[in-house]
Amino acid sequence: MGKVVTMPNNSSRHLILGTRALHSENYASAVAHLEKAFKEAPDFEVAKLLVAAENGLKQPQEAVAYLSEYMEDFLASEKGTTTIYDTLLALPDYRFAWAVLHHVTPSQKAAIQARIEAAEAEDLAAHATEIDDLAKQLRHLGGFSAHEQESMLQSLGRLPKAQLIASAAANLVDPDVHPAVRISLLDALTAVGDDREVQVLGYQTQGAVIPNELPGVLSDPTLLAVLNQVQLQVGLNDPELMKATVETLRFELGYLYPFIDQAIDDPKHFAASYLHQQADTVTPAERALFNWLQQQTGKLMDMA
């Protein structure tokens, strides 16, 4: 009997074939094999090859998911950081490009910033009318339906930084723009490093903030304190309930940013009231806030 040769598993076989195809610049074949390899064994090394293959096919939008999942790994090397910006500037998505710049190593930051600015300038020179038309539409989101507002928000990253900043400002105080959309716009201004004061309409308040000095909605300390209290009060006896409650509340509390600390002065009491909304300990102010949050979520149904 001849020697038994062990066949490589499918993941290894597709990885080998995909890598060969990538080196041969046969990008379509590379993507086909590497997608199968990644499905069998998802890790950064395969994702890195997939991004290169998708970029080779001029499909940067397909590469973004892998960049997002392994962002820290890509940022850990100069080559990986270059790959990130090859992808983002090919889209282009300037909002994402400026946001990632906060995490680029200091030694690369100046060069990457110059690269973003050069890409924006070249884009403006080649597509001035298209960019201007989009900026004008995004400047008045309150004139569109809720569904259209959400849809148009997906185009925000197409605008170079200066145009993005100019388009977002008026929407932040427009009551016809849904709070979730307003907060997404404010978060975008934080991402691109806007250091100018803007007015923001919030729950029962309006005030001035500097976007570049804000923590970002997902890092707001009051929001995180409330979510922590919910987890503590639900406990580990019902992990599914805790997870569902935290995810729902995380989204709803976003409507209150960046003035959430004014609406919620006691995270522990608020969490208890949210979990037991029929209790006698729920204050009139909390009941009014719960009703408002529910109304905003109801309006979001129009965005589906």
Side-chain angles (χ1 to χ4, degrees), residues 285-298:
E286 287 174 332
R287 292 190 190 282
L289 178 54
F290 294 151
N291 288 335
W292 184 83
L293 292 174
Q294 290 171 6
Q295 289 171 7
Q296 305 317 309
T297 299

Side-chain angles (χ1 to χ4, degrees), residues 6 89 107 155:
T6 302
L89 297 179
S107 61
S155 302

Side-chain angles (χ1 to χ4, degrees), residues 13-24 30 33-34 49:
R13 181 170 65 86
H14 287 301
L15 180 58
I16 291 168
L17 294 174
T19 303
R20 287 176 180 169
L22 180 61
H23 289 162
S24 300
H33 284 294
L34 292 171
L49 297 173

Side-chain angles (χ1 to χ4, degrees), residues 24-201:
S24 300
E25 299 185 358
N26 185 352
Y27 299 120
S29 178
V31 166
H33 284 294
L34 292 171
E35 282 181 341
K36 293 177 181 177
F38 186 80
K39 185 175 181 180
E40 294 291 331
D43 63 32
F44 172 60
E45 292 304 318
V46 182
K48 184 168 59 175
L49 297 173
L50 256 172
V51 169
E54 295 288 10
N55 284 343
L57 274 180
K58 309 298 183 187
Q59 295 181 164
Q61 69 278 5
E62 302 296 332
V64 169
Y66 302 107
L67 287 180
S68 299
E69 185 173 354
Y70 296 99
M71 184 60 68
E72 290 187 8
D73 296 291
F74 278 103
L75 285 168
S77 70
E78 183 174 339
K79 183 177 180 180
T81 301
T82 298
T83 298
I84 291 172
Y85 282 92
D86 287 344
T87 307
L88 296 181
L89 297 179
L91 285 169
D93 189 330
Y94 299 115
R95 173 179 54 178
F96 200 172
W98 285 105
V100 174
L101 186 64
H102 298 294
H103 306 284
V104 170
T105 58
S107 61
Q108 284 186 271
K109 187 163 290 187
I112 294 295
Q113 180 171 334
R115 185 179 175 188
I116 299 172
E117 291 170 345
E120 289 184 334
E122 183 178 349
D123 197 3
L124 278 167
H127 305 103
T129 300
E130 175 188 341
I131 290 172
D132 187 54
D133 288 345
L134 177 59
K136 287 177 180 176
Q137 287 185 315
L138 290 170
R139 207 169 291 148
H140 304 288
L141 288 175
F144 296 89
S145 69
H147 175 73
E148 288 171 323
Q149 288 180 28
E150 185 200 29
S151 178
M152 292 177 67
L153 197 62
Q154 306 307 311
S155 302
L156 192 66
R158 175 69 184 84
L159 294 180
K161 179 177 178 178
Q163 286 71 24
L164 185 155
I165 290 173
S167 295
N171 293 296
L172 299 178
V173 291
D174 187 345
D176 291 326
V177 176
H178 191 279
V181 174
R182 292 201 302 265
I183 299 317
S184 293
L185 290 168
L186 181 58
D187 238 16
L189 293 181
T190 297
V192 302
D194 184 14
D195 56 6
R196 294 178 294 183
E197 187 177 275
V198 295
Q199 287 287 323
V200 181
L201 180 64

Side-chain angles (χ1 to χ4, degrees), residues 266-280:
D266 186 341
K268 184 176 181 180
H269 190 278
F270 179 88
S273 296
Y274 185 85
L275 293 170
H276 308 284
Q277 295 188 22
Q278 304 307 314
D280 293 338

